[in-house]
Amino acid sequence: MPKLLEPMTLRGITLPNRIVISPMCQYSAEDGFAGAWHMVQYGRFAVGGAGSVMVEACTVSPEGRITNGDLGIWSDAQAAKLAPIADFLRGQGSVPAIQIGHAGRKAAMQRPWFGNGALTQADVERGDRPWDIVAPSAVPLGEGHLMPKALDEAGLARIRDAFAAAARRADAAGFDIVELHNAHGYLLHQFLSPLSNQRNDAYGGDAEGRMRFPLEVARAVREAFPAHKPVFLRLSVVDGAEGGRPEEESLAFAAALKAVGIDVVDCSSGGIAGSATGARGPRRDYGFQVPFAERIRRETGIATMAVGLIVDPHQAEAVVAEGRADLVAIGREALENPNWPLHARLALTGENGHADHWPKQHGWWLNVRDNALAQLGPYAKAAE
């Protein structure tokens, strides 16, 4: 069997294959609550055969929303709206996963389709309003962006507790994996980077100080989430901006994460000084972030997940078969083709027919079609 299609057990949870659908924010929630869009968005990936489907970043407090449309998990009522999604994912054979985070100085911004920048009067007129934001230091994202308030010790404790409470709610809602968002310029990443963390207390300064708060949050989440369920952490391995963190700091951080019980590092990059999907950072090529996952896995021994322009089944198979990462995350390619994992199975195994692995509601229809096509031959020739 291809390595990509092999199960993987993490603590007491077994993924049926190594394909994970990345969390991709939809910016379509109402007051942080999931709706019909979210059920369809995530349900179609489970129907498509992914080993795990990860729900987009759910903010742990209202102030931590990137936009007015972010999902939240700061209340039991919000978690209750997420529970049917987790239940449906599990019913289709996918492990339900969820990412939790806090935007820090990247909070109270535009929805991406309106510009992905600071809120404007036009946004306010549409109903998207700003709020007071917080960060490690009073350093705004850029010109025109809101000035964050530097977190004091009480603020740090409040956010740390909010992450732990979010993990407990995620468990209660039925999610079997929780991932901490420590990437793309959001709050926990802001603590790691000297570009956004200019504190002179125990939570700033050298690499050890800048790692302190993210590690405290990781430890709190690990303690709050059931011991038989894994905790992932998405990490921007490099800042992707001049004067940012060297890759070696991420190696030390990954080793420390392993020591506090984090199970998988989801290796991404960039975002500290702007959009994580912008032009800054590593040159974007097929699998451009795989070397980050490979190095962290090799040098620290922690399991890793590779992400970033992984678009072809054979490419994904090579990543796990060669031991460069343990899991492969598919993002925008899954938006284009929600059945990517099922197509990957066909491509890697040469299996004929759809009945064995596709949902029965689809497989029998497709087998009827395949049998008919086998009788007809190629369409182009038949049309001549």
Side-chain angles (χ1 to χ4, degrees):
M1 176 185 288
K3 188 75 173 178
L4 187 68
L5 304 180
E6 288 184 0
M8 181 177 183
T9 298
L10 294 162
R11 295 184 179 254
I13 302 298
T14 298
L15 283 67
N17 59 56
R18 307 298 182 96
I19 303 167
V20 177
I21 303 300
S22 278
M24 292 175 280
C25 287
Q26 299 297 290
Y27 308 106
S28 299
E30 293 288 341
D31 297 321
F33 286 89
W37 176 267
H38 301 92
M39 174 62 83
V40 174
Q41 163 75 357
Y42 297 107
R44 63 182 183 152
F45 298 138
V47 169
S52 179
V53 176
M54 190 171 291
V55 171
E56 68 197 75
C58 293
T59 57
V60 302
S61 65
E63 71 189 11
R65 292 170 293 160
I66 307 165
T67 76
N68 281 255
D70 283 28
L71 282 177
I73 194 166
W74 66 80
S75 76
D76 292 344
Q78 290 167 334
K81 285 287 189 180
L82 293 165
I85 298 175
D87 187 57
F88 184 82
L89 300 181
R90 182 177 292 103
Q92 301 306 308
S94 290
V95 173
I98 190 169
Q99 187 182 70
I100 58 175
H102 188 297
R105 70 177 186 175
K106 275 191 163 182
M109 291 178 60
Q110 290 177 318
R111 303 181 201 227
W113 47 84
F114 292 133
N116 209 24
L119 287 170
T120 65
Q121 184 58 36
D123 295 306
V124 173
E125 291 171 0
R126 281 189 285 263
D128 285 352
R129 299 186 180 277
W131 54 86
D132 293 336
I133 65 173
V134 298
S137 304
V139 179
L141 180 61
E143 186 177 350
H145 285 266
L146 295 174
M147 175 65 73
K149 179 183 178 182
L151 285 159
D152 58 17
E153 289 193 13
L156 294 175
R158 175 175 50 81
I159 290 175
R160 185 171 54 244
D161 292 346
F163 270 97
R168 286 189 288 269
R169 292 191 186 100
D171 173 53
F175 291 95
D176 289 335
I177 297 171
V178 68
E179 178 175 88
L180 284 166
H181 201 344
N182 198 136
H184 302 168
Y186 299 121
L187 182 67
L188 297 183
H189 182 190
Q190 290 162 27
F191 271 91
L192 289 183
S193 177
L195 297 176
S196 48
N197 184 346
Q198 298 178 10
R199 302 172 73 97
N200 55 14
D201 63 1
Y203 294 99
D206 61 12
E208 183 179 358
R210 287 182 276 111
M211 284 190 274
R212 181 166 281 109
F213 185 64
L215 284 173
E216 287 181 358
V217 171
R219 185 179 296 108
V221 167
R222 179 61 278 174
E223 291 174 355
F225 206 52
H228 71 283
K229 294 184 176 184
V231 175
F232 290 22
L233 181 141
R234 175 163 277 201
L235 174 65
S236 278
V237 178
V238 295
D239 285 350
E242 185 177 351
R245 297 160 48 247
E247 190 172 340
E248 285 68 26
E249 285 192 11
S250 287
L251 291 171
F253 184 53
L257 290 169
K258 184 181 180 184
V260 302
I262 299 303
D263 300 284
V264 175
V265 175
D266 178 1
C267 298
S268 190
S269 64
I272 196 65
S275 172
T277 59
R280 297 187 182 192
R283 180 180 180 273
R284 277 161 165 71
D285 202 346
Y286 293 114
F288 69 102
Q289 293 174 146
V290 172
F292 298 141
E294 180 179 16
R295 187 179 181 193
I296 285 177
R297 185 179 190 268
R298 181 181 67 245
E299 297 190 25
T300 70
I302 196 169
T304 60
M305 182 157 68
V307 63
L309 287 183
I310 298 173
V311 299
D312 180 83
H314 298 280
Q315 173 198 17
E317 167 65 13
V319 169
V320 292
E322 294 168 6
R324 305 184 72 190
D326 300 274
L327 298 163
V328 168
I330 306 297
R332 277 161 277 200
E333 196 66 17
L335 296 179
E336 175 71 21
N337 176 13
N339 292 329
W340 192 95
L342 290 170
H343 288 187
R345 178 177 290 278
L346 295 176
L348 294 173
T349 65
E351 292 176 355
N352 293 316
H354 297 84
D356 290 341
H357 300 289
W358 289 58
K360 59 182 179 296
Q361 297 93 331
H362 293 178
W364 78 273
W365 278 107
L366 292 171
N367 276 352
V368 170
R369 182 205 63 170
D370 291 346
N371 290 336
L373 291 176
Q375 311 278 332
L376 292 174
Y379 172 75
K381 182 178 178 180
E384 289 177 359

